[in-house]
Amino acid sequence: MLRALVVVLAMVIGSSAWARQIVTVGGYEFGPFVDAEADGKTTGLTLALIDALNRYQDRFEFRFVLTSPSRRYKDFEDRKFDLIFFESPDWGWTAKKIPVDVSEVFLDGGELYIAKAAAGRGQEYFTDLAGKRMVGILGYHYGFAGFESDPALLASRYRMTLVNDNAASIEMILKDRGDVAVVTDAYLKRYLKSHPGTDSRLLVSDRFDQRYAHRALVRPGAALTVADMDRLFASMAKDQTLTKLWRGYGIKD
């Protein structure tokens, strides 16, 4: 009798696992959301959110798909993934007329200016950026430059050096290879937390270069609807699941 019960339970558990609908989640390297480790492993907040979602419910199985900043639009149109987190329709999706269903905001954020700390240097240093050696990330738009992303224009007009990620931007400033860098606030908080003492070497602006509201962009007709996503986020926010996740990455206090 006991053996039969175990078999039945195994079948129920197995059928439940098989019943999960696969939902593919796109993401590109941009810390702290997606980080590529030296051993080739992909980590970051997007992967942690996927893990939390899979543990939180049993209707969908979320799986990560790596893309790139420039390739993500075509990959989405080619149905290589169903949704993407930490995005905004204003970041090229609307301009490219790509149909997406847009979730409610689940995390806010922005980009700050940083400079090397120096005696007598305060917030006024960020008031006028003209003539300063700027540092940013290749392929991204910046508020101070009118959201221009063309590398040649950024280099000629704003003396901007473009690097691959936020970590490289911070290192450029610490090594006096640039005057002001634009860094994602979420990454900066995590970086300062994991590099004790660095905060005293940097001057961080009070004002943002730009602010944004993170949403999920979902493919119309996908197994998971934007209403499903909103309900999950609302429930996970209500019971502090999301708050604990943000705190774990140093994004929220």
Side-chain angles (χ1 to χ4, degrees):
M1 180 67 181
L2 180 59
R3 183 178 180 182
L5 181 59
V6 170
V7 171
V8 170
L9 285 172
M11 292 176 64
V12 170
I13 293 171
S15 63
S16 175
W18 280 108
R20 283 195 179 207
Q21 293 178 286
I22 304 300
V23 177
T24 47
V25 181
Y28 49 89
E29 187 177 354
F30 189 73
F33 308 107
V34 177
D35 291 303
E37 304 295 335
D39 60 2
K41 184 180 179 182
T42 305
T43 61
L45 186 53
T46 296
L47 283 297
L49 178 56
I50 287 173
D51 183 58
L53 283 163
N54 285 333
R55 286 185 281 106
Y56 197 82
Q57 50 76 54
D58 58 9
R59 183 180 169 193
F60 303 103
E61 181 181 337
F62 294 84
R63 295 181 181 177
F64 180 71
V65 175
L66 184 64
T67 182
S68 73
S70 59
R71 199 178 67 240
R72 70 190 193 271
Y73 309 106
K74 186 176 187 306
D75 283 352
F76 184 81
E77 290 184 305
D78 289 344
R79 308 179 74 85
K80 291 185 178 179
F81 57 87
D82 300 312
L83 67 87
I84 187 166
F85 294 133
F86 306 106
E87 267 284 352
S88 167
D90 297 329
W91 297 346
W93 301 89
T94 300
K96 295 177 185 296
K97 299 181 179 179
I98 300 173
V100 292
D101 290 333
V102 183
S103 79
E104 298 292 331
V105 175
F106 63 89
L107 179 68
D108 55 15
E111 293 173 349
L112 297 164
Y113 301 113
I114 63 169
K116 194 169 185 180
R121 180 177 290 175
Q123 290 298 314
E124 72 284 347
Y125 188 73
F126 302 112
T127 302
D128 185 6
L129 300 176
K132 292 184 171 66
R133 297 173 299 159
M134 302 298 295
V135 180
I137 299 175
L138 183 65
Y140 290 86
H141 307 77
Y142 294 100
F144 79 90
F147 298 99
E148 178 60 65
S149 63
D150 181 80
L153 282 175
L154 290 172
S156 62
R157 193 174 297 170
Y158 302 100
R159 300 177 64 195
M160 195 168 197
T161 299
L162 297 172
V163 295
N164 291 326
D165 53 40
N166 283 293
S169 293
I170 296 172
E171 290 300 315
M172 289 281 286
I173 297 302
L174 291 174
K175 294 177 180 178
D176 288 318
R177 295 173 63 187
D179 297 319
V180 176
V182 186
V183 180
T184 305
D185 63 340
Y187 184 85
L188 182 61
K189 289 176 182 177
R190 185 167 174 79
Y191 183 93
L192 294 178
K193 185 177 180 180
S194 61
H195 293 76
T198 306
D199 56 343
S200 63
R201 300 173 59 197
L202 291 174
L203 175 67
V204 181
S205 67
D206 292 332
R207 71 183 180 94
F208 285 81
D209 177 71
Q210 64 173 303
R211 301 201 71 150
Y212 40 71
H214 289 299
R215 302 173 185 267
L217 305 186
V218 183
R219 177 193 317 288
L224 173 139
T225 67
V226 74
D228 292 327
M229 198 71 258
D230 283 336
R231 280 192 291 269
L232 276 170
F233 279 147
S235 181
M236 294 170 77
K238 186 176 181 180
D239 70 6
Q240 301 293 299
T241 298
L242 290 182
T243 300
K244 291 174 184 176
L245 193 59
W246 309 152
R247 284 176 179 164
Y249 274 77
I251 294 174
K252 296 291 184 181
D253 297 327

